[in-house]
Amino acid sequence: MNDSHIIHAELLSAVVRLNNFSTILYFGPEDAKERCQMESWPRWTVNEIPWLLWRSEISLKLSLFVNAELLVLACLPGVYRQDLLRIVSSSLQYMRQTKLLIEVAGDEDLGLVNRVLMFCLRNHMLNVALIFGDFGESHTLFSYNAYPNYSLKSQRFGLEFLDLYPEQGLDLKGFQIRTQPDLSEPNTILSHDQQGNPRISGYVWNMLMEYSRKHNASLQLASVPQLNRPLTHIQVLDLARNGAVDIAASIQPVTLRYVERYHEYAYPITMSSWCTMMPKEKLIGVRDSFAWLMPVMSIGFLIILWIIYEVMKGRWQRYGRLLGIGWLILAVLLASNVQGRLVSLFIAPPSRPHINSFGALYKSKLRILGLRSEYNGYDFDMRTTYSGAFLLSDNISEFIAMRNSLNTSFAYTLTNTKWLLYAEQQAKSSRPLYYYSADLCFYKFMPNALVIPENSPHRAALDRLMLQLGQSGLYDHWTTLSFNYMVQAGRLTVRNLSEPQEIRSLMVQDLHDVLYAYAVGVVISLTLFACELIMFRLKRWLFI
């Protein structure tokens, strides 16, 4: 092994030693006229790390069969071949954290270095190093700093050689991260300061602010957000795909719609359920309270006891004293039950039965107000069976305004995370207007994540931050503050939302049912009395 081979072997040893690679892939087109020193590297690693030799100019989907612990060695000719660079880039789709070492078969050319590395920057390949064919003599390595702007970096390989692939995402050096809020309140909330400048708040915005602070960056709006134009799910995904944003200030469900674009999300921050916010059932009226005090079943039970007593009265004559005690005990139990129900009626008045299924909702007069775009994502069988239970709107702003106002004319669709806002809004009310119904859910346990470009260089750092926010409890803390953010932005106010209960004395109209029952009883009694009297007169007339 000559001196040139020795320095190449030392470079390979240094790269492998500082990284935990499971596979090394060598890319060198079969018809290339120039040959690289890298071709002899596979035999230097013996059997420690498996090698893949890639001689074709057809791109591979490496993400399908190789994990991220991959080192790619690319042999390129001494001229700028963008087609070969595109093959490498497309093969590393969804694997932008892969380490890439390029050898250009030729003498050192700074112009060529800049063109190759600028291509890597545009395609978000940050872990790239480049050497030339004369590396054995020059010992020069080229790489670049991606933040805050592109700058070429060269270093000499030697005893003081440091990590060839530092994680540039840890320090963005003041880089401006382009973002755009979807204005889905309370995730992101738009307000304006005294000068009319837009001001964003909300727990999703807190996450992006924390990411930028932790990695020495700042946030820059891609465009001026407009309050009456919130972004839909597909619009946010398209912004990320088109490169208009680096990280979208939007949390979306990963598995609900557009499942094939799951690579355009960061690590899920939470698991949510998409259910229904139902208005509280109204309290029973005065007329219903009489029936509640003495239920029909209790009256029926007493009638059955009385019939049994009348039928078997002749057999129980010698147990008359015990029967009298039994009737007294029954009267005490009945009076205690009525008194307890009467006290409960004043302390905690009962309400009408809950709607606990879509079938019961369909039969009721209540309707769910939702968005037409979301309705198309519901289960097909449910849509066809209970379509009449929904009232659909195409205006997102109108829908959000209706839900924020807690208009009890409708039920509303929402996630359990957004329900925290309305639960806090009603916390100071003596009787809440709405409750979260887990019985009327469309989807459960949906992973939700930030939207990012599919090959975002921020993916690894964002994934770590999502885990840290979830484990530290910061995410839960920020979501519970959603009501405070809405109040600060002027969207909501702190007030008692309970409907005032009118306290008045009983009126004749309230006793209609009681008087009606009394009248029916009198009519029945008079009818029985008349029948007995007629029977008595007939018997007397027949026996005269």
Side-chain angles (χ1 to χ4, degrees), residues 304-323:
I304 292 172
L305 287 180
W306 177 76
I307 292 174
I308 294 174
Y309 172 77
E310 288 295 330
V311 171
M312 305 184 68
K313 182 169 57 174
R315 302 180 184 180
W316 292 348
Q317 291 181 355
R318 51 181 170 178
Y319 301 109
R321 185 174 182 183
L322 293 177
L323 286 174

Side-chain angles (χ1 to χ4, degrees), residues 407-476:
N407 186 327
T408 55
S409 302
F410 304 99
Y412 303 95
T413 58
L414 82 173
T415 61
N416 59 332
T417 304
K418 290 189 177 181
W419 166 248
L420 298 176
L421 164 69
Y422 302 105
E424 183 65 24
Q425 185 180 3
Q426 302 175 90
K428 299 185 182 300
S429 302
S430 57
R431 187 176 188 272
L433 299 180
Y434 277 87
Y435 68 95
Y436 181 79
S437 175
D439 297 320
L440 302 176
C441 287
F442 308 102
Y443 296 96
K444 290 187 177 182
F445 307 112
M446 298 184 301
N448 289 260
L450 288 171
V451 177
I452 58 176
E454 59 185 9
N455 290 311
S456 173
H458 303 284
R459 180 180 297 277
L462 263 179
D463 290 352
R464 286 194 297 269
L465 180 65
M466 296 301 103
L467 286 171
Q468 292 170 356
L469 292 179
Q471 294 171 354
S472 64
L474 269 178
Y475 174 80
D476 294 334

